[in-house]
Amino acid sequence: MAITTARATATPIITMTAITTTTTTATITAMTKALLRSAARKRGKAVLPRKAGEDAAPDGAALYRLMAWLSPAYPIGAFSYSSGIEWAVEAGDIKDAATLREWLEVSLGEGGGSCDAVFFVHAHRAIAARDDAALRAVAELAAAFVPSKERFLETKAQGGAFLATTQAAWPCAALTRLAGAWKGAVALPVAVGVACAGHGIVCETALPAFLHALAANWISAGVRLIPLGQTDGQRVLAALESTVAAASTRALATPLEEVGSAAFRADLASMRHETQYTRLFRS
């Protein structure tokens, strides 16, 4: 009887354990599938293009897109333009890290970089406000504001390449709106500003990143032309941090009708580069 009782008692215990294990496994599997589906939906939501007027992109998504769009690897051909720095090096205006920094401080604070920052801000705002007339006005002014033929080529070619690549990889309604509002050449700051607004990346975050990329590309040209060591190039970039911050703050408060440049030597350099005998860069 004792053996029989033991066997009778043991059987239900084994059966209940098996049932419990099976039930727990099924529950965990169901929960895992639900979590995976939820994660997939969240991932999909994070990368889907946003229309103008939607909430700001999550910080991680905004950073990811800015790093992609403003990377030297983004195929807009930025490496082939120097914005007149090549002529300035030949003329002796730029001959070391200190003079390169001084040149770029003026370009970012009072020259083409400052103007590009204002165009970026107003393009971004026009998309956020769904204002096609304002978008057309800033796109037209940005295309007309460049001081030389080569600078026009520089901003037009990069702007067009940026739009084509971004529309293919990160499409959004804002890029389509720009194409409908303005049929002419699109300057680079307008193209990037529109894309950032269309993807919900706030202007206060995007603008310093844009100016950082502009400064880094100019420094890259200087490193190759002077030449400078890579570490010296990074020292120049670090020294320009406050200049970029100040240019961003000023651009955010500048009305479009007050945009202007006072970097005459940089403008002359871009003109003189057109007839420079030996050239590595397109501007």
Side-chain angles (χ1 to χ4, degrees), residues 50-51 53-58 199-201:
R50 284 174 167 76
K51 296 180 180 178
E54 289 188 343
D55 293 336
H199 282 266
I201 304 172

Side-chain angles (χ1 to χ4, degrees), residues 254-278:
T254 301
L256 185 60
E257 61 271 18
E258 293 183 13
V259 65
S261 170
F264 300 114
R265 187 68 173 173
D267 292 345
L268 288 172
S270 70
M271 299 174 193
R272 293 289 183 86
H273 186 269
E274 295 175 8
T275 56
Q276 189 170 339
Y277 182 73
T278 301

Side-chain angles (χ1 to χ4, degrees), residues 17 27 32 45 51 58 64 71 75 98 106 108 144 150 157 169 178-179 181 192 215 225-226 228 251 258 282:
T17 302
T27 301
T32 302
K45 183 178 180 181
K51 296 180 180 178
Y64 188 89
S71 165
V106 174
L108 287 166
E150 286 188 350
L178 173 61
V192 182
L225 288 165
I226 295 171
L228 288 179
E258 293 183 13
R282 300 184 71 187

Side-chain angles (χ1 to χ4, degrees), residues 24 34 69 85 147 245 248:
T24 303
W69 298 342
I85 290 174
S248 299

Side-chain angles (χ1 to χ4, degrees), residues 82-83 85 100 104 107-108 112-113 154 213-222:
S82 79
S83 299
I85 290 174
L100 176 62
L104 298 187
S107 295
L108 287 166
E154 178 180 335
L214 183 63
N217 191 65
W218 286 342
I219 290 170
S220 175

